[in-house]
Amino acid sequence: MTENWIDEYHLGVRYGLQGKVLIQEASDVQEITVIESVRYGKGLLLNGCWMTTEYQEKQYHECLVHPALCSAAEIKKILVIGGGDGGTARECLKHKEVQHIDMIEIDNRVIELSKEYLPSIGGNAWNDPRLHLTIGDGIAWAANAENNSYDVVLVDGSDPIGPAEGLFNKTFFENCKRILKPNGIFATQSESPEAFQQIHIDIVRLIRDVFNYSDPLYGWVPIYPSGWWSWTFACIDAPRYLNPLKKRASVISDQCEIWSPRWQKGAFQAIPAFLEREFEK
Ligand code: SPD
């Protein structure tokens, strides 16, 4: 096989893997690339930006899902917006209390290619009867869903340029709050505090404007720009995401590579000084 470099270009820096391109196509929504890399297995890029790879997807999916699902009052009904590779749904379905997931993915080709080339990421989620998949617009879904209808709302979108742009504005966050139960948890990926610094700061500020309680959590996804990543959590009645519930955590901990109750508590505290100052302004 001819091995080349597959790179995401961002602000004069390349974030790349050695490997080969398996699929490159334009869907109705975006350009999709599936690769096979030397170091991290197969991977997916959308519009030239890294979304996931087989051997470092847990750093992303566990950090988006378990701080919310281990801490919300109930987790019977979950909304996942985006998440077409299946990793977010897979992590949600580890929780036996989850009865119903609505997953709204805008691009059917992302799902088809993920099932074919990245089957370990979705795992059994695709065959689990609790997963209800809709191909459509998550922004419209959030705008039309009933008040107080979800225990947890998770946004697993791509970067705020192109099709995912509308997942980062105030109207969308207001709808997410409206459709969330008062004791539920909202969470979204919120970009890199280094490579997308101002965008990250703006996202956190906007979510804090809308919800009563909100905090960013910092972790790492090595192939994403700068490797340093964030997810932002929000609540209506109390900052529930700060306190993982022992009963749920004890079931999930052994199945996780990164997430643990200790990691969750520590990661919310590990906020760099310059960001804390920004959020206090
Ligand atoms: N720049 C990367 C943004 C990542 C967003 N979602 C990744 C999809 C993983 N399910």
Side-chain angles (χ1 to χ4, degrees), residues 9 77 134 214-215 237 266 272:
Y9 295 79
K77 194 171 173 198
T134 299
S214 175
D215 284 291
D237 67 343

Side-chain angles (χ1 to χ4, degrees), residues 4-258:
N4 291 310
W5 286 91
I6 301 113
D7 296 317
E8 173 176 345
Y9 295 79
H10 181 71
L11 300 180
V13 189
R14 301 196 315 201
Y15 301 92
L17 291 181
Q18 194 179 15
K20 65 176 179 179
V21 173
L22 302 178
I23 298 284
Q24 180 126 40
E25 67 173 57
S27 72
D28 294 341
V29 180
Q30 57 209 337
E31 187 179 295
I32 305 176
T33 310
V34 179
I35 61 109
E36 177 154 26
S37 70
V38 172
R39 175 85 166 98
Y40 292 129
K42 295 197 186 75
L44 172 73
L45 299 93
L46 297 179
N47 290 335
C49 299
W50 290 107
M51 291 295 124
T52 197
T53 62
E54 287 177 303
Y55 306 145
Q56 56 167 243
E57 52 89 13
K58 291 188 172 69
Q59 284 92 330
Y60 176 92
H61 293 119
E62 289 182 8
C63 304
L64 173 65
V65 172
H66 298 308
L69 268 75
C70 283
S71 314
E74 294 196 301
I75 53 172
K76 289 183 193 143
K77 194 171 173 198
I78 314 293
L79 174 63
V80 174
I81 294 180
D85 54 59
T88 292
R90 181 204 69 214
E91 288 302 315
C92 290
L93 290 164
K94 284 180 176 170
H95 293 265
K96 299 288 174 248
E97 290 167 67
V98 170
Q99 295 177 0
H100 182 113
I101 301 176
D102 284 319
M103 178 172 146
I104 320 303
E105 164 60 49
I106 199 164
D107 193 342
N108 191 40
R109 281 302 284 156
V110 171
I111 292 176
E112 289 173 350
L113 291 168
S114 297
K115 283 182 179 173
E116 187 175 350
Y117 290 94
L118 305 162
S120 67
I121 297 184
N124 291 327
W126 302 121
N127 302 316
D128 193 309
R130 294 175 290 168
L131 180 64
H132 300 261
L133 181 59
T134 299
I135 303 302
D137 181 1
I139 300 162
W141 185 280
N144 295 322
E146 282 180 25
N147 290 353
N148 309 327
S149 51
Y150 290 101
D151 294 306
V152 173
V153 174
L154 300 174
V155 184
D156 180 12
S158 47
D159 304 293
I161 302 141
E165 202 174 342
L167 299 176
F168 296 91
N169 67 41
K170 194 164 185 183
T171 306
F172 175 69
F173 294 141
E174 284 168 344
N175 277 320
C176 290
K177 181 182 180 189
R178 181 185 59 73
I179 66 178
L180 190 66
K181 290 186 184 162
N183 53 10
I185 298 187
F186 166 81
T188 183
Q189 76 89 1
S190 47
E191 300 293 313
S192 165
E194 196 278 338
F196 296 88
Q197 193 169 109
Q198 194 55 51
I199 289 175
H200 168 67
I201 290 167
D202 291 346
I203 293 169
V204 175
R205 284 189 179 146
L206 209 47
I207 295 175
R208 284 188 168 180
D209 273 359
V210 171
F211 284 85
N212 304 350
Y213 301 91
S214 175
D215 284 291
L217 172 147
Y218 298 102
W220 59 93
V221 185
I223 196 56
Y224 287 178
S226 85
W228 186 19
W229 211 254
S230 78
W231 302 262
T232 297
F233 294 77
C235 287
I236 297 166
D237 67 343
R240 290 175 177 272
Y241 46 78
L242 296 177
N243 298 306
L245 303 171
K246 278 193 185 130
K247 195 176 154 206
R248 280 191 215 137
S250 63
V251 177
I252 294 304
S253 290
D254 288 349
Q255 303 175 51
C256 287
E257 260 179 43
I258 307 297

